[in-house]
Amino acid sequence: MKRSAAAVLVKHIFPTLAFILFGFLIAVAQVATPSPSPSPEAGEAAAGKPPSTKVVVPPEKSEPVVVPRFEKPPVIDGKLDDDVWKTAVPLKDFYQTSPGDNIAPSQPTEVFIGYDSKFLYFGFHAYDEPGKVRATVAARDDVFDEDNVRVFLDTFNDQRKAYVLGFNPLGVQQDGIRTEGSGEDYSVDIVMESKGQLTSDGWTLEVAIPFKSLRYEAGKGKLWGFHVWRNIARLNDEIDSWVPISRDRSGLMSQAAHLTGLIGISTERTLELIPSLTFSETGKRVNSIPASELALNPALRDPGRTLNLPIKVEPGLTVKYGITPTVTLDLALNPDFAQVEADQTVITANQRFPIFFEEKRPFFLEGIEIFRTDLQPVHTRAIIDPDIAMKITGKLGRNTFGLMLASDNAPGNFTEEDRTDPEVLPVIERFLDKNAYIGVLRLKRDIGTDSSLGFIATTYNFIEKHNQLAGFDGRFRLGPQTYFNFQVLGTTSRRCSFEPRTPKHEPTIAEPCFAGTDDDGQPLSTRNHYRTRNGLAYSYGYDHPGRHFGYRFSGEGRTRDYRAEVGFTRRRNTNFHDFFLRYSSEPKPKATLLSWRVFNSTRGNYDWQGNMQNWEDEAQIQWNFQRSSYFGIGFVGGYERLFEEEFGPARTAFQGGAFFGPNSERSTYQATPYFFAGTRPSKKFGANVLVVHTSGAFDLDFGGGPKFPRVSPAALANANAIATGQCDGEDPPFICFDPSQDPGPGRQLNMELEFSYQPTDALSFELEYNKQRLWRRDTRRVAFEDNVYSLNSTYQFTRFIFARARVDYATLESSLRGQFLLGWTPNPGTAFYAGYNDDLVRNGFSPFTGQLEPGLRRNGRTFFIKLSYLIRRSFGS
């Protein structure tokens, strides 16, 4: 029986509204607490101003900073004792921009800048109390959880993109790219030199940045936008900036200071060669009894055997050539694209859509921000194992461009077992050792001071699988705090397309479109199964962040036949819209409660046939306290519908549908309370927790592997019929043959715990625990339960030498995976790695027979050594 509208309001809408009101009442009670008076030590301009008062930027900060040319380079040892630093331009009188709002900083900071024909130099003197500085011998790109300084360099002065170069007090580096509207990406590595040291009055640091490591425009009259920040971790991650940052204006680089005077810089072109060599030896568990014999005698138990493959030697070469200071050519020949670090183990049970994994391979990370857009039409992990790849990226005036080409041998690279299996070989023979050819083109034009229009196109071609994509995107500043962005993409694809089309399971290259065999075992024609389909995708966003009150209206959609073979697509045949409202308090740096924030998000999906797929309303409030601590609670009320067309065939007068029973859809109301908290009281300890409970969560009836077979009414009826012999007679009931899914609601618990411990400056531990458990309401059975434990430990002998161990254990698969890595990485490009990966199962199920196997068994292992060396040469003046 359907619930009345009043019942829905009482159970779901009213609690959400009450929760929002509750958050506001608690927050408003804090407004009466007076804000502490700021110190006047940094001068009148830096003193605390009322929120409505515009901070006056002194002339020395509003005018471009003329960088002096050094007569001789300083020695980069972290000591700031070279006489040449006395000729540098000094930067003083910083502003605390977080958690305070352009008030006096807790500690003073001095920065010195100079240059010569080859390097841009920075010197830092960060004053602080002895013994309170947080600094460790951290790994590269892991410095923002402790004291650090950051330099933002907008080398084209376009207010759209900037290098982010960070350093901790010991000189450990972190580098990335900030793109306005998209955030910061720290997967990029550039070659530079830095050293730091602790002193009796804080710490000092020296940095030399080669101009040939950057893309830039320089010369007489040219300006670079820049920010200099200092982070003090123990003081609630305080950020001190040399120029004030207004919360009444969105965008960081549009509020930057400027550097000028960089003339006489060497215009030499740079060639980088990185030859690499990888040795690997792999062992894997394979059948000890032929599959055909197991099929004839199911009682046989196949213990499997370990097959040790021959040592594999993979040479590779990566080339980078700086055609100009603004244009770079990259080429990779037979590159080693094996990831040094494996992906983290994630829970995949009851997952309806693909899971996104970040790119980690260096060749693709260079210039990756150029190809990233809202709808993710480019996700380079779709290029799995290229023989050759190249790209040219850069910026000319207001035009940014990128072209990437690759020949990927992964689609035609089948296992030896598949190649020798007489049943599989006819299916894959025409695909064996064939390559997919991939291309990506990206163009973007800057418009005005902070807007842009772009074009993107991709192509993917492999045998009977072809995909072409093209579209436009834009981002426009409509006011000091308002942006509008959009993207529209069109695709055309020729691929295997059985009717009806299903997003749940479409043939892959490893499982090609195949219509079967004739009486002689020859494959039948599959031509009539290949069809051309056209698709459309769109996204938009209207964003007004606001100082206290902000809102965002956004959405995206993809038609059923939209395909992006070079990108990532989570869901098709859907439209998503979201209206987000937020209120943030004025921060109070000295108060126990630093700040609070409350938001409400109303969102929903519907398909292109007009059917609502789900709606949700989420409310959340978060409180931020001293010692980098926070606590928050939230509630999501919603409704979800499932249609059998999304899981398989739709029912007709002549055939059954994908769902069991008389109904072609399922629906349920959902209520999800949750809470989260975290703290980082010292550099030794840190913890985070998230607990989510959903009433009405769907069990999709996929099952949870051998440990958790399907527990839907249909599955239990089928199992009972088989167990009681009802399926052995001459006229077995229909339930014996019906494989239909029978989704149903239940209760789901999600829990994520993280704990970090650093007993010494060199040794660190991270322990993570992730739990998911789904209990089905109609059959009162557990649909699945998975617990993933992850332990990651690193010992950093020096800035460049480390040993790392990671162990993951997942209870659902009974899998125990370990990775042990010893590395030496003196600079980006030069590295030595020795690693060992192991994949074991404890009290798991045989991959060959599906039977329970007690004890510990190895499924596979790999030992590898990887060496690479950066050769850098310059040509020209």
Side-chain angles (χ1 to χ4, degrees):
M1 183 172 61
K2 294 185 178 180
R3 302 184 185 184
S4 67
V8 175
L9 288 173
V10 169
K11 184 166 184 179
H12 299 284
I13 305 300
F14 285 172
T16 302
L17 295 176
F19 182 81
I20 298 173
L21 179 61
F22 169 72
F24 270 112
L25 290 175
I26 294 179
V28 169
Q30 298 294 329
V31 174
T33 305
S35 179
S37 300
S39 169
E41 294 174 0
E44 182 178 345
K49 299 283 184 178
S52 60
T53 303
K54 181 179 179 180
V55 177
V56 177
V57 182
E60 67 271 17
K61 300 189 179 187
S62 60
E63 296 295 325
V65 176
V66 180
V67 183
R69 187 182 181 99
F70 284 171
E71 294 298 326
K72 65 176 183 178
V75 177
I76 305 301
D77 55 11
K79 295 181 180 180
L80 289 179
D81 55 359
D82 298 271
D83 289 338
V84 71
W85 285 116
K86 297 178 182 178
T87 66
V89 60
L91 307 181
K92 301 179 180 180
D93 297 331
F94 279 60
Y95 300 79
Q96 183 188 144
T97 60
S98 177
D101 184 9
N102 296 315
I103 65 175
S106 301
Q107 299 289 341
T109 305
E110 296 179 354
V111 180
F112 308 93
I113 310 176
Y115 84 103
D116 59 24
S117 63
K118 295 182 182 296
F119 295 89
L120 179 64
Y121 299 99
F122 284 88
F124 299 86
H125 193 160
Y127 294 90
D128 209 338
E129 301 176 51
K132 292 189 176 182
V133 175
R134 292 189 185 180
T136 63
V137 187
R140 185 185 182 93
D141 288 339
D142 192 21
V143 306
F144 286 173
D145 285 335
E146 53 193 36
D147 289 0
N148 65 84
V149 291
R150 272 178 260 186
V151 178
F152 298 78
L153 293 177
D154 179 2
T155 54
F156 291 94
N157 194 34
D158 59 13
Q159 302 181 10
R160 293 164 176 83
K161 190 171 68 174
Y163 291 96
V164 187
L165 310 177
F167 311 89
N168 82 349
L170 302 181
V172 179
Q173 302 170 3
Q174 181 159 17
D175 39 13
I177 298 291
R178 176 185 175 87
T179 304
E180 293 289 13
S182 301
E184 297 171 0
D185 175 17
Y186 292 102
S187 59
V188 178
D189 288 331
I190 71 170
V191 177
M192 52 187 173
E193 187 178 358
S194 60
K195 286 188 178 180
Q197 65 171 5
L198 301 180
T199 64
S200 59
D201 59 355
W203 52 281
T204 57
L205 172 76
E206 291 179 305
V207 177
I209 305 168
F211 287 111
K212 62 185 178 182
S213 292
L214 307 174
R215 298 182 185 182
Y216 63 89
E217 289 182 344
K220 187 175 181 180
K222 295 290 185 180
L223 299 177
W224 286 12
F226 84 100
H227 280 289
V228 179
W229 284 7
R230 176 189 176 185
N231 273 80
I232 306 177
R234 74 179 185 280
L235 302 178
N236 305 300
D237 198 28
E238 176 181 320
I239 296 178
D240 301 331
S241 171
W242 186 63
V243 293
I245 307 296
S246 173
R247 300 182 187 182
D248 294 318
R249 179 178 176 84
S250 59
L252 177 64
M253 299 317 298
S254 61
Q255 304 184 61
H258 291 90
L259 295 175
T260 191
L262 300 174
I263 57 177
I265 296 175
S266 173
T267 57
E268 59 190 14
R269 297 180 297 277
T270 303
L271 175 66
E272 293 183 2
L273 302 176
I274 306 179
S276 66
L277 190 62
T278 302
F279 302 89
S280 62
E281 194 275 331
T282 300
K284 62 178 182 177
R285 189 180 180 193
V286 298
N287 286 85
S288 59
I289 302 174
S292 56
E293 188 175 341
L294 284 174
L296 294 175
N297 189 354
L300 288 176
R301 298 178 65 91
D302 186 355
R305 62 187 179 90
T306 299
L307 175 64
N308 292 313
L309 302 178
I311 294 177
K312 187 177 181 180
V313 181
E314 286 286 338
L317 176 65
T318 300
V319 181
K320 179 188 294 186
Y321 181 61
I323 301 174
T324 71
T326 65
V327 180
T328 302
L329 172 68
D330 293 270
L331 177 69
L333 301 172
N334 191 30
D336 170 30
F337 280 135
Q339 293 175 210
V340 172
E341 297 190 43
D343 290 317
Q344 182 176 349
T345 300
V346 297
I347 296 176
T348 59
N350 207 48
Q351 286 288 335
R352 187 178 174 191
F353 304 112
I355 297 174
F356 182 84
F357 290 99
E358 292 285 352
E359 179 61 84
K360 298 180 179 180
R361 300 168 294 180
F363 173 83
F364 289 119
L365 293 175
E366 172 70 25
I368 196 171
E369 72 281 353
I370 294 174
F371 300 98
R372 283 178 169 161
T373 62
D374 291 342
L375 287 170
Q376 296 180 291
V378 177
H379 180 44
T380 49
R381 287 192 67 153
I383 307 173
I384 301 171
D385 188 15
D387 294 325
I388 182 171
M390 65 81 61
K391 60 184 173 183
I392 182 169
T393 55
K395 184 166 187 176
L396 297 174
R398 287 180 167 266
N399 302 303
T400 301
F401 63 90
L403 174 66
M404 180 164 53
L405 304 172
S407 175
D408 189 1
N409 66 27
N413 187 15
F414 293 87
T415 65
E416 191 63 29
E417 289 85 348
D418 288 337
R419 294 169 183 262
T420 57
D421 191 316
E423 295 184 2
V424 176
L425 183 60
V427 181
I428 66 173
E429 193 166 15
R430 60 196 301 264
F431 303 96
L432 285 176
D433 301 321
K434 299 296 192 301
N435 279 28
Y437 300 99
I438 298 163
V440 180
L441 173 66
R442 174 64 168 158
L443 304 171
K444 190 166 71 170
R445 170 79 175 178
D446 295 344
I447 300 173
T449 59
D450 197 8
S451 301
S452 62
L453 272 174
F455 171 80
I456 195 165
T458 70
T459 179
Y460 183 100
N461 299 280
F462 179 75
I463 314 298
E464 290 283 355
K465 183 177 181 180
H466 304 276
N467 174 247
Q468 323 301 327
L469 175 150
F472 296 90
D473 61 279
R475 184 172 186 265
F476 306 95
R477 179 186 281 275
L478 304 181
Q481 291 185 314
T482 308
Y483 283 95
F484 174 75
N485 63 275
F486 80 93
Q487 185 166 30
V488 179
L489 299 173
T491 66
T492 181
S493 306
R494 181 166 177 80
R495 56 182 288 142
C496 179
S497 182
F498 289 112
E499 293 291 351
R501 297 175 297 280
T502 70
K504 174 196 168 188
H505 183 77
E506 294 186 356
T508 63
I509 293 303
E511 182 189 14
C513 185
F514 181 57
T517 58
D518 59 21
D519 293 338
D520 296 325
Q522 298 300 313
L524 296 172
S525 172
T526 59
R527 283 284 169 183
N528 59 343
H529 292 289
Y530 286 94
R531 293 180 172 84
T532 299
R533 303 287 182 184
N534 300 321
L536 173 73
Y538 68 89
S539 71
Y540 67 90
Y542 183 88
D543 193 10
H544 180 84
R547 179 188 184 91
H548 297 298
F549 176 74
Y551 59 89
R552 181 180 68 247
F553 189 52
S554 60
E556 62 181 44
R558 299 173 179 85
T559 63
R560 180 174 62 179
D561 292 315
Y562 170 83
R563 296 291 187 277
E565 299 295 347
V566 191
F568 178 82
T569 303
R570 178 168 170 79
R571 187 177 189 180
R572 293 184 291 271
N573 192 24
T574 191
N575 299 271
F576 169 79
H577 302 285
D578 176 35
F579 184 58
F580 176 90
L581 290 168
R582 183 253 319 155
Y583 184 85
S584 299
S585 73
E586 189 71 19
K588 300 174 182 178
K590 302 299 183 181
T592 301
L593 177 61
L594 293 175
S595 63
W596 53 267
R597 187 181 93 143
V598 62
F599 77 75
N600 188 81
S601 172
T602 302
R603 51 190 182 255
N605 290 72
Y606 62 91
D607 63 26
W608 286 77
Q609 292 73 45
N611 300 307
M612 184 184 68
Q613 296 168 324
N614 71 282
W615 64 261
E616 291 180 339
D617 189 88
E618 178 181 8
Q620 183 194 108
I621 185 168
Q622 176 178 331
W623 299 273
N624 300 309
F625 303 95
Q626 295 288 339
R627 302 175 70 83
S628 299
S629 302
Y630 65 91
F631 176 78
I633 53 177
F635 179 83
V636 185
Y639 177 77
E640 184 175 7
R641 299 169 75 191
L642 304 179
F643 301 93
E644 64 182 1
E645 291 88 347
E646 296 183 277
F647 294 82
R651 62 191 64 209
T652 67
F654 307 101
Q655 70 174 19
F659 284 176
F660 177 80
N663 298 320
S664 62
E665 70 172 78
R666 303 285 194 272
S667 64
T668 179
Y669 289 96
Q670 297 175 339
T672 306
Y674 63 90
F675 79 89
F676 55 96
T679 185
R680 184 80 182 183
S682 70
K683 72 177 183 180
K684 284 190 174 183
F685 300 99
N688 297 281
V689 59
L690 169 66
V691 179
V692 183
H693 181 271
T694 301
S695 175
F698 264 118
D699 167 32
L700 301 176
D701 201 22
F702 293 152
K707 281 191 173 182
F708 292 94
R710 295 166 57 198
V711 294
S712 64
L716 294 179
N718 175 268
N720 181 67
I722 295 174
T724 57
Q726 299 178 45
C727 300
D728 299 333
E730 296 182 359
D731 187 21
F734 178 72
I735 192 65
C736 293
F737 311 102
D738 186 9
S740 302
Q741 288 179 255
D742 191 9
R747 296 198 308 267
Q748 181 164 324
L749 174 66
N750 290 8
M751 184 184 303
E752 297 178 11
L753 303 176
E754 299 176 357
F755 178 74
S756 61
Y757 175 54
Q758 185 151 4
T760 70
D761 287 348
L763 180 63
S764 64
F765 296 93
E766 294 179 3
L767 177 63
E768 299 179 13
Y769 170 66
N770 193 336
K771 177 186 183 68
Q772 287 190 21
R773 185 179 189 271
L774 178 58
W775 180 86
R776 184 147 176 153
R777 187 180 297 162
D778 49 15
T779 60
R780 300 182 181 276
R781 302 285 187 95
V782 175
F784 79 92
E785 180 175 351
D786 198 1
N787 300 271
V788 177
Y789 304 85
S790 300
L791 176 63
N792 193 351
S793 177
T794 301
Y795 192 89
Q796 201 78 31
F797 297 95
T798 69
R799 284 176 53 186
F800 310 123
I801 302 175
F802 67 89
R804 184 173 303 153
R806 181 184 183 91
V807 179
D808 297 299
Y809 177 66
T811 60
L812 183 62
E813 297 179 350
S814 301
S815 63
L816 180 64
R817 297 184 176 94
Q819 183 185 61
F820 307 92
L821 186 67
L822 177 66
W824 174 65
T825 56
N827 60 56
T830 299
F832 169 83
Y833 297 103
Y836 176 75
N837 298 338
D838 215 341
D839 183 3
L840 303 108
V841 173
R842 179 180 177 275
N843 296 333
F845 291 81
S846 167
F848 313 117
T849 65
Q851 298 172 330
L852 180 65
E853 296 179 326
L856 196 65
R857 295 178 182 267
R858 175 173 284 112
N859 284 335
R861 58 166 180 77
T862 300
F863 175 78
F864 66 90
I865 294 177
K866 177 180 177 180
L867 308 94
S868 64
Y869 185 75
L870 171 64
I871 303 171
R872 207 176 203 206
R873 296 290 182 268
S874 299
F875 307 91
S877 58

